[in-house]
Structure formats: structure tokens, C-alpha cells
Amino acid sequence: MLHLAVLHSRKLCVYSVSGSLGNVEHGTQYQIKLMYEHNLQRTACNMTYGSFGGVKGRDLICIQSMDGMLMVFEQESYAFGRFLPGSLLPGPLAYSSRTDSFITVSSCRQVESYKYQVLAFATDADKRQETEQQKLGSGKRLVVDWTLNIGEQALDICIVSFNQSASSVFVLGERNFFCLKDNGQIRFMKKLDCSPSCFLPYCSVSEGTINTLIGNHNNMLHVYQDVTLKWATQLPHIPVAVRVGCLHDLKGVIVTLSDDGHLQCSYLGTDPSLFQAPKVESRELNYDELDVELKELQKIIKDVNKSQGVWPMTEREDDLKVSAVVSPNFDSVSQSTDVEVGADLVPSVTVKVTLQNRVTLQKIRLSVYVQPPLVLTCDQFTFEFMAPEMTRTVGFSVYLKGSYLPSELEGNAVVSYSRPTGIPRVSQCKFRLPLKLICLPGQPSKTASHKLTIDTNKSPVSLLSLFPGFANQSEDDQVNVMGFRFLGGSRVTLLASKTSQRYRIQSEQFEDLWLITNELIIRLQEYFEKQGIKDFACSFSGSMPLQEYFELIDHHFERIYFDLVSYLMLLKLGLKEVNKIPSFFSNHVSVLHTCTEKLRINGEKLEELLSERAVQFRAIQRRLLTRFKDKTPAPLQHLDTLLDGTYKQVISLADAVEENQDNLFQSFTRLKSATHLVILLIGLWQKLSADQIAILEAAFLPLQQDTQELGWEETVDAAISHLLKTCLSKSSKEQALNLSSQLSIPKDTSRLKKHITLLCDRLAKGGRLCLSTDAAAPQTMVMPGGCATIPESDLEERSVEQDSTELFTNHKHLIVETPIAEVSPLQGVSE
């Protein structure tokens, strides 16, 4: 009969298992009854069982002790005990019925096989020391049958025999698993990538092969067919034992046991169907009642969609409330490190984010983002569990690290979490950093290259009340003039008119106007809201500064690859000395401009060259290693010199990639600031709504960062072309044009600048931005004063460009530097 043997450290117990049918839904109940037990004199390590010596009808048990002694039990009686020769630490133990032998792995890191007959007839091992009779030859000495050195400790041994012809001995090592024949010869072995924890060989569907389940300490379970990996799956725990069974008529169930006692039944492949629907009595359907019920359900669904929308937003927001508070004062000790601002002392300000949850939440992850070069002392926070009605507060500091300005002073805190039902959710909260974090009071400037004038419908407000922290002590009487000096070094001057309702912002850099202009409008709105005035509005009536904006676009477009081209030319000509670089630039300026267009088309040239140098470096290393290993010395043939030169080129190329990416990012940040300013001015100029401004921001600022694969120019050009083709289209002819589905690097920025000019022109003549399906209909734009419509022909378009040049540029500059005749006309938006 089938019994259960349980090995304890000092006891062996054998139980009988009996089952009885249960009367409740739990099913069959099993009970175990102790049949007999053995109290062990030595601490046990492991055991195995089998028909030792070919005995029929019963199994014998062999126990290995911690000091290397094999103890054989035959049911209730103790048979004999033998010490394994040279045993230091016990290893895994298995019994092979085909060869009637015990197989183990000794502390010498070799697989050893001992015949049962040899063990039975060997000298009794009541004492570990050899007796005088054994030394003189009285009694048979224990001799190993065969050994195999595997060079590592073993975790487990399993002997499988799926047919009568052959059996295999599987040994799981610390880094490999081996398949051996009965005589100890290696059939195959497999090197493992991860540290294993358990294994199980089982029968394969392919003839002549064996499948093996191997669990490792990376919570993975691998399925091998001989030495080929067939499947890999993730487990929630590290398995210490694995078996394959059949549960509820479901074959191939994988049962794993974790080190903390968790038992898991898993399966591979698709979900099995364990439910069998009971048979029901068939009845005739009443279709009239079904139609009435269907109409009622459709009405309920329609009412819910009208009142609440698709998602219950209120419930999701009530799960977790996120709030952020920015400290009004700087940190007493600045947290800024490794700043690149210069001689100015860089301050830091503390921001505290508070999480308040209503229900139980799991896997909470808080991520905070600010616009570079602003950095955070810590931007990631993780909470594994939050009980209901719990409040968590985290704090971090923000400071300016780079020498240029951020495109925004707004930060964002995003929290991702899982509800008790397992549904993932996301909540976010925005916070605004103070202007004084990146700006100091400065001396006002009377002259500047770039000026903007903002009109309002209310009397001017004293700048001292709008910007109380930026008042210059030496000029308290000048309440209508204020100077700002950014930590990067640039200066901005703000003037309030004494007679009119206007404010002027001026600076030497066009992109520096954005932060002060935006801060001025926000503070004016907050000031009049506190006064109870709700009809305050700002406007912009000057000429759109498109020429200055286009200069920044050209600078960004050329800056992307100017560093790339120059460095490539240096590598091609082999210039390594620093003092030769200025003369090189002066002598090869024409060559650089010629190559710029070619390398602009292939923007990944620098990465490709770095990859080539890395391949060359590894090839030289292999050659040198072959030379050094050769027994007959051979000349190196300057391979060491070539290796050193290639190494320097790889390092220089990597530095060039980092420097080029940093320059590109700085240029893109300045372009984003100028783009924000242009969007703001267009909104004030045409009095656009918040939805229309959001469409403009999505079109002009689609990317968070610029890359070699996808650039700002081609992305914005495609977005503006889509707007011109849809909501700002003039006729069905433009709507029928198809835009290219693939974005490619443009040769220049003339097409992008032309589309931006055309966008402003159509907005000026009544066009409105929207994303609804009705926007595709042709619009008839009628403006006071009899403005002409957008032309379709070549000659008409040229006249419009000339008119828009007068409208959108300063009096001293033109929009396009090249003559109109040299630029191909815009024949439809798709060009």
C-alpha cells in the first residue's frame, strides 16, 4: 500500500493515508495515521527509498546523516549503516533501480556511485574510525563504483527512466546542470545564466528527448528540452521545489513551493476551462419582453453617458488627493550642488507634496518633474501600502543647475497607484515655483534689442506692488521701472506707462522676454481678482515678432549639426592638437557649410562613427590577445599604437556626443521659451480661447526633447500643415491634399517659416482653431474692412506673402532672407 514517510532531524516517521468521501463542498477528506517511527542517533540530512538489492513487494529507506553516514531501514527494523569514504559535508542522494546503486555528490565536487551490494557487505560502521580488524583486512572495504568530477557543488540529483532501454542521471549544479548515463559518462550539459534553486526532469513529447523544469533565484521558471530553452515564465516567488501533476482533470499543472511555505499551482498557455455549465431546461423566448427590456437598458446607458460621461471621474479623484505647497522662503542652507551658473549664490526652495487617500491603496509611486535646468534633490518616492484615511507628506528642494533659463517655472507631481481591486490609477498636481528662484533684482536698462508692449483695459499698477521682492533700494522713486537679472547673466527691464494702460518688456535676448511677460500677466490677473475686478483683460496690438522667432529657429536648426560637422572634419583630417583648431576652422569654413546639408540629412553619422570606432577597438583587442597567447613571440606591428589611438578616438567621440546633446538641449530650451512667448502673443492678439491656445501649444510644442531621430522642425511643420489643411483651410481643394505619413529631416527651415507665416495670416483674417469634425468644412472668412481671402494661385500667394511681410515684421527686417522668387511657392499645404 502507499504510505507517507516524513524525515525529521532526529526521527523518521511513516504514516498511512486514508481518504473518506465528504458530505460538504470541500470534497474528499484525508487522514494520516502513524504506523511506526525510528529515533535516529545522528542528525539526518536527506533520504531516498527504493527496492534495494532487488527485493520484491516493498521499499527500503536510506537516510544520509550530516556526517556522511548512510543508514538503511527495512520497515520497522534498522538494517545497517555505512560511512562514505572521505565524506566532509553531505550532498544530494538518489537511488538508481536499474543499477541498484546510490548516487551522491561529495564535498570533493564529484558525482559518486556506490553499489548496494558493496554497501551491504562492507564493514559495519558503528564507529567512524577504522578498527584494527579493518586495517588488517578483516571485512570488506567500501569502494566507489564510478566517479565524475563536475567542479561545483550540487543542489539536487534526479534519476529518470521513461523507457526500459536507458535511464539518465540528472545533476543540478550551482552553474550548470548535467545529464549522465548509468556508467557516469556525460550525455549532455547546459550552462545556466542564473543561479538555480530547484529542478525537475519529466517526460517529453518528442522521442529521445527529456524536458526539464529549472527554477532560479530571479523568480523565473525555465523549460528546457535537453539543452534548448523552450519556455520562460515569471513566478511571484523563488521556487525551492517544483513538481508536475494533474489536478481536477487539468493535466500539466506546475506546483511550486516557496521558501516561506507558499504553495502555488500554475499552468502554461491559455486559460483552462474548469467550469462546466449545468444543463438547464429549455424554454421559449418572449421577444416582445426582450425588446422592452433592451430599450430600458439603452435609455439608462444614454442617461448615464449624458450626466456623468464614460468614466466616473469623481470617484477616481476621491481615492487620492494630491496637493503641493511651495515654501515662501528659501532654504536656510542651499541644497544646490554641482551648479554651472557662475559666481552667483544659487538658492533652493522646498516643495512639500501631501497625499491623502480615502481607500486602501497599493504600489504608490510619486514622480516629480520640473523643467531643466531646474533640478530636484529627489524626484521619485515609493510607498508600498497606504491604509484608509492616511496622510503622507514628502519634501524636496528645487534649484537651478545650468547657466541657461528654464522654459517654464511650473512643476508637475504625478502619482500612480493601484486600487484594492487591482485597477491602476493616476493623479497629478501642478505647482508654480517662485520667480526669485532664478532671478535677482537688477539695474534697469534704457536700451534693448527686443521690446514687447502689452496693453490692458485697466489703469497701470505700481510695479512695486506686483513684484515686491524685486524692488531696487537705490531707486525707490522709480515705481514704474524695474530691472531683473537672471542667474545666467541676462537682464530684462519692465516699464509701466504713466499715461497709458501699457507695460513694456525689453531685453537683449528675445527668449528672455517670455518668463517676465508671463509672470507679469499672471500677477496682474491675481491682483485684479483680489480687488474684485472680473473684466480685466490683456491684449497685444503690435507687430508679431516672427523675424526674431525665425532667427531662433534657424539657430536651433544649424546648432544641431554644426558641432557634429566640425568634429567629424577634425577626425577625418586627423587633427589632435588643440592649437590647430582655430586655423582649421578659418581654412575650412566653406567645407563645413558644404557638409552641413549632407549631414543634416543623415543625423546619425556621429553615432555610426562611434560604433565603427568601437568595433575597430574590439577587433584590435582580439588581435593583440591572439599575439600575446601565441607561444612563439611575433612582432606587434604597431597594434599597441593603433589600440591607443583608437581608444582616444572613442573617448573623444563619446565626449563629442555628450557635448552635442547638451548644446542641442540648451538650444531647444531657448526655442521652447520663444515658442511659449509667440503662442502667448498670438492668443492676446486674436483673443483666443483656452481651447484654441491648447491647440496651438500642441502644434508648436509637441516634443519634450529634441532627438536625432525626430526633430522639432519636421514635427511642428507637420502639425501646422494639418491645421492649415483642416480647420484653417480655404477650400475643398486644400482638404483633399494628403499629408506625408513619414517625417523626414528638412533641408532648411524656409518651408516651416512659410507655414507659420501663413498660419498667422489666416488667424488674422478670421480663421479659428478647433478639432471638431465640422472644422473640415470650407470657411468663408469675412473681416471688417473687406480683407481678401487666402489665394490659391502662385501670383496671388506672392501678393499675400508681401502683405503678411508688412504685417508680421519689424520695419527694419524682412520675414524671409532670400527673395520670394527663389523660394518655391506653396502649391497646397501638402508640399
Side-chain angles (χ1 to χ4, degrees), residues 555-761:
H555 175 72
H556 172 261
F557 182 77
E558 294 170 358
R559 185 59 179 267
I560 293 175
Y561 294 101
F562 184 78
D563 295 336
L564 168 62
V565 175
S566 60
Y567 195 82
L568 286 179
M569 294 299 296
L570 288 172
L571 285 178
K572 293 296 182 182
L573 297 181
L575 294 181
K576 301 177 182 178
E577 293 82 0
V578 180
N579 55 7
K580 292 184 180 180
I581 293 179
S583 62
F584 164 74
F585 278 112
S586 61
N587 295 333
H588 297 277
V589 170
S590 60
V591 180
L592 288 176
H593 284 289
T594 304
C595 294
T596 302
E597 182 177 352
K598 297 179 181 178
L599 290 175
R600 186 61 177 95
I601 298 174
N602 185 10
E604 299 180 353
K605 188 64 177 177
L606 188 59
E607 286 81 358
E608 292 178 2
L609 189 58
L610 179 59
S611 177
E612 292 176 2
R613 290 295 182 268
V615 171
Q616 175 180 322
F617 184 74
R618 289 192 294 269
I620 299 171
Q621 281 183 322
R622 286 194 294 268
R623 291 284 185 90
L624 278 174
L625 187 60
T626 305
R627 295 287 179 90
F628 290 147
K629 284 186 175 180
D630 195 358
K631 295 182 179 180
T632 59
L636 296 180
Q637 296 179 345
H638 302 287
L639 282 176
D640 53 345
T641 306
L642 185 60
L643 180 69
D644 182 66
T646 307
Y647 172 76
K648 292 179 178 179
Q649 285 190 356
V650 169
I651 297 300
S652 301
L653 276 170
D655 293 340
V657 169
E658 292 183 355
E659 183 179 359
N660 187 54
Q661 291 176 351
D662 185 60
N663 293 335
L664 172 62
F665 188 78
Q666 291 189 25
S667 179
F668 182 63
T669 303
R670 295 187 177 97
L671 180 61
K672 284 175 63 177
S673 299
T675 304
H676 279 296
L677 180 60
V678 170
I679 293 173
L680 175 65
L681 296 180
I682 292 177
L684 297 177
W685 172 46
Q686 289 297 315
K687 296 181 174 57
L688 301 180
S689 63
D691 294 338
Q692 292 175 323
I693 293 178
I695 295 174
L696 272 183
E697 290 179 348
F700 278 88
L701 295 170
L703 302 176
Q704 286 294 333
Q705 60 181 1
D706 218 357
T707 60
Q708 299 283 1
E709 295 79 11
L710 185 62
W712 181 87
E713 285 80 9
E714 56 264 30
T715 311
V716 173
D717 189 26
I720 295 178
S721 299
H722 176 75
L723 294 178
L724 294 174
K725 173 181 172 291
T726 53
C727 58
L728 296 179
S729 63
K730 286 292 297 172
S731 64
S732 59
K733 177 182 176 182
E734 289 186 0
Q735 297 171 18
L737 296 173
N738 294 324
L739 296 175
S740 175
S741 59
Q742 183 176 3
L743 298 181
S744 58
I745 301 174
K747 294 183 179 180
D748 51 36
T749 58
S750 58
R751 183 171 177 268
L752 172 62
K753 293 186 289 188
K754 185 182 295 185
H755 283 177
I756 295 176
T757 305
L758 192 58
L759 173 72
C760 295
D761 183 67

Side-chain angles (χ1 to χ4, degrees), residues 26 36 96 101 140 172 220 294 347 367 442 454 490 492 494 564 585 642 683 691 710 734 758:
H26 299 298
Y36 60 88
S96 175
S101 59
K140 194 171 182 180
L172 180 65
M220 296 291 293
L294 180 61
S367 302
I454 303 298
S490 56
V492 179
L494 176 62
L564 168 62
F585 278 112
L642 185 60
D691 294 338
L710 185 62
E734 289 186 0
L758 192 58

Side-chain angles (χ1 to χ4, degrees), residues 312-321 417 427:
M313 298 298 292
T314 55
E315 180 183 355
R316 184 173 66 182
E317 292 176 356
D318 290 340
D319 290 344
L320 180 66
K321 292 184 179 179
Y417 59 92
S427 298

